């Protein structure tokens, strides 16, 4: 048993750190300025093209994609290292392709879908979204109402989806729908590849979110989907969806660790420089306690997340661990960033520092992909249920 990354993965982590320091962090000032002016906390199209070119040249595309479609086939453990480094920047950038939808597709695509959807996705030629939540069904998929009904060789989808990122420009959306009302979410849920230009696929509204981000609500009105675009087996969409959710939750834990680590580094640099009543902040017991507590909890969250990722790579059941790291890391990150904002005083309340963007992102992640309370309930249910 050891707790070090393999040499190759450690070198990758260092490479991503250099990418973040040299190419993402210098863009933060523009992101902060646009967000403060009421715009999106996003890169411009020109900035995105430049960062895409750099990240591709550095070999950072398709890191965890299969080798037969141009990927590096890296394990979850390596991706935790990558995402911790990406979490250190508030410049919102995803190394193509986005891992959660990638992992779900890897677990389900047939050869036709591999050529038409997976390969272009890995190559960075397409963007994907996923539609799971509905206005009346969020953390509990058993309340899902979106339906898919056979019509000859095709499927016809009807329903509403909400809280979808990138729905306005994604080339295709993985839509979860009920194909057997009697079985519902357990054995009656299926996944479909729905192209954005499909008749009846309508983006209803843009929903402004915290931190200059946005999600969307979509309507599916008699959307006809060819039969070959059923992703995986009919009625067996729940398990692949959990693969997708588990991947995202692991990412969120790593991002939270990265943000907390950067916030802590900011505090360590700032505290000795700021005097209050003739004494540096670094000599105040409260600040010392905050620094020690943050360092301890970041270390604990990092070990928990690597442990979970390693077990995922071993194919083990990590339902409890996934809920543990998602809840613990996001709550840890929230408290660490909040304390650093407090230590910075009035400056911590400005939109000139990246702290408020970290706080906003972590605040949303305490809800996204399952609220903390739901994950705590899952852990307790798994433990208590085993003793019946």
């Amino acid at each position: 048993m050891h707790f070090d990354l393999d040499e190759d993965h450690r070198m990758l982590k260092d490479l991503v750190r250099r990418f973040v320091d040299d190419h993402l962090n210098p863009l933060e000032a523009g992101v902060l300025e646009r967000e403060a002016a009421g715009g999106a906390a996003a890169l411009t199209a020109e900035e995105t093209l430049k960062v895409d070119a750099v990240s591709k040249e550095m070999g950072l595309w398709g890191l965890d994609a299969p080798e037969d479609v141009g990927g590096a086939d890296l394990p979850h453990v390596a991706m935790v290292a990558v995402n911790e480094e990406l979490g250190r920047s508030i410049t919102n950038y995803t190394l193509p392709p986005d891992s959660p939808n990638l992992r779900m597709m890897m677990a389900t695509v047939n050869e036709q879908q591999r050529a038409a959807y997976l390969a272009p996705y890995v190559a960075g030629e397409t963007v994907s979204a996923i539609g799971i939540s509905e206005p009346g069904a969020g953390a509990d998929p058993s309340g899902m109402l979106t339906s898919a009904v056979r019509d000859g060789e095709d499927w016809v989808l009807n329903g509403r989806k909400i809280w979808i990122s990138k729905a306005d420009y994604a080339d295709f959306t993985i839509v979860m729908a009920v194909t057997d009302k009697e079985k519902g979410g357990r054995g009656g849920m299926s996944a479909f590849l729905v192209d954005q230009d499909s008749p009846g696929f309508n983006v209803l509204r843009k929903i402004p979110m915290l931190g200059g981000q946005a999600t969307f609500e979509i309507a599916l009105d008699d959307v006809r989907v060819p039969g070959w675009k059923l992703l995986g087996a009919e009625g067996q969409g729940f398990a692949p969806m959990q693969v997708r959710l588990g991947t995202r939750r692991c990412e969120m834990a790593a991002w939270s660790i990265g943000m907390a680590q950067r916030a802590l580094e900011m505090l360590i640099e700032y505290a000795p420089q700021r005097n209050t009543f003739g004494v540096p902040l670094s000599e105040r017991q409260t600040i010392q306690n905050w620094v020690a507590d943050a360092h301890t909890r970041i270390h604990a969250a990092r070990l928990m997340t690597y442990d979970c990722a390693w077990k995922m790579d071993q194919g083990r059941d990590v339902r409890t661990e996934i809920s543990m790291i998602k809840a613990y890391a996001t709550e840890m990150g929230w408290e660490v960033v909040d304390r650093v904002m407090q230590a910075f005083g009035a400056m911590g309340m400005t939109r000139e520092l990246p702290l408020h963007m970290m706080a906003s992102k972590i605040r949303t992640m305490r809800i996204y992909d399952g609220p903390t309370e739901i994950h705590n309930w899952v852990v307790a249910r798994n433990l208590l249920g085993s003793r019946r």
Side-chain angles (χ1 to χ4, degrees), residues 100-173:
N101 290 355
L102 168 71
R103 292 277 181 174
M104 182 174 182
M105 293 169 67
M106 285 167 56
T108 52
V109 292
N110 56 35
E111 289 307 309
Q112 185 176 5
Q113 294 165 348
R114 178 180 291 269
Y117 285 92
L118 183 62
Y121 188 49
V122 172
E125 298 170 0
T126 58
V127 174
S128 73
I130 188 163
I132 300 175
S133 296
E134 300 182 1
D140 181 7
S142 66
M144 187 178 294
L145 297 177
T146 296
S147 64
V149 177
R150 281 188 180 277
D151 185 18
E153 297 296 318
D154 300 338
W155 292 87
V156 177
L157 275 60
N158 281 281
R160 297 291 184 273
K161 295 292 182 180
I162 199 168
W163 315 125
I164 304 174
S165 300
K166 301 179 288 188
D168 58 331
Y169 66 92
D171 298 283
F172 65 94
T173 299

Side-chain angles (χ1 to χ4, degrees), residues 34-83:
R34 287 188 285 273
E35 191 275 337
L43 297 176
T44 65
E46 182 180 359
E47 288 171 338
T48 300
L49 286 175
K50 289 181 179 179
V51 176
D52 277 346
V54 170
S55 59
K56 187 174 186 179
E57 184 179 354
M58 294 177 70
L60 296 177
W61 284 27
L63 293 177
D64 52 345
E67 291 182 353
D68 62 0
V69 286
D73 199 23
L74 290 179
H76 287 284
V77 165
M79 296 308 296
V80 169
V82 168
N83 285 302

Side-chain angles (χ1 to χ4, degrees), residues 38-311:
L43 297 176
T44 65
E46 182 180 359
E47 288 171 338
T48 300
L49 286 175
K50 289 181 179 179
V51 176
D52 277 346
V54 170
S55 59
K56 187 174 186 179
E57 184 179 354
M58 294 177 70
L60 296 177
W61 284 27
L63 293 177
D64 52 345
E67 291 182 353
D68 62 0
V69 286
D73 199 23
L74 290 179
H76 287 284
V77 165
M79 296 308 296
V80 169
V82 168
N83 285 302
E84 180 181 338
E85 294 302 329
L86 291 174
R88 293 175 49 249
S89 180
I90 60 160
T91 300
N92 192 20
Y93 179 74
T94 301
L95 292 170
D98 195 22
S99 294
N101 290 355
L102 168 71
R103 292 277 181 174
M104 182 174 182
M105 293 169 67
M106 285 167 56
T108 52
V109 292
N110 56 35
E111 289 307 309
Q112 185 176 5
Q113 294 165 348
R114 178 180 291 269
Y117 285 92
L118 183 62
Y121 188 49
V122 172
E125 298 170 0
T126 58
V127 174
S128 73
I130 188 163
I132 300 175
S133 296
E134 300 182 1
D140 181 7
S142 66
M144 187 178 294
L145 297 177
T146 296
S147 64
V149 177
R150 281 188 180 277
D151 185 18
E153 297 296 318
D154 300 338
W155 292 87
V156 177
L157 275 60
N158 281 281
R160 297 291 184 273
K161 295 292 182 180
I162 199 168
W163 315 125
I164 304 174
S165 300
K166 301 179 288 188
D168 58 331
Y169 66 92
D171 298 283
F172 65 94
T173 299
I174 301 172
V175 176
M176 305 303 302
V178 176
T179 48
D180 187 329
K181 292 182 180 180
E182 295 299 320
K183 295 180 180 178
R186 304 287 183 171
M189 182 188 298
S190 303
F192 297 88
L193 296 162
V194 182
D195 297 328
Q196 189 186 46
D197 59 0
S198 300
F201 182 92
N202 301 304
V203 178
L204 297 181
R205 63 182 177 121
K206 179 180 180 180
I207 308 170
M209 309 296 289
L210 293 177
Q213 303 300 309
T215 59
F216 297 85
E217 181 178 3
I218 66 171
L220 299 145
D221 297 322
D222 291 328
V223 176
R224 184 169 292 273
V225 178
W228 70 272
K229 295 186 180 183
L230 170 69
L231 188 58
E234 178 184 345
Q236 301 303 309
F238 186 84
M241 182 184 73
Q242 291 303 311
V243 170
R244 188 262 176 204
L245 291 172
T247 303
R248 179 67 85 202
R249 289 159 181 165
C250 197
E251 282 186 335
M252 288 181 172
W255 293 336
S256 297
I257 293 164
M259 283 184 275
Q261 184 64 51
R262 184 176 178 193
L264 175 59
E265 291 168 1
M266 291 174 65
L267 177 57
I268 290 171
E269 180 181 1
Y270 174 75
Q273 301 175 17
R274 177 62 188 268
N275 290 334
T276 58
F277 303 99
V279 178
L281 278 181
S282 56
E283 295 184 15
R284 299 291 185 185
Q285 188 177 38
T286 293
I287 299 299
Q288 293 173 352
N289 284 338
W290 286 355
V291 168
D293 183 70
H295 183 66
T296 301
R297 295 174 66 191
I298 290 169
H299 183 61
R302 183 178 289 121
L303 292 179
M304 287 171 62
T305 305
Y306 275 122
D307 170 74
C308 179
W310 180 81
K311 289 175 179 175

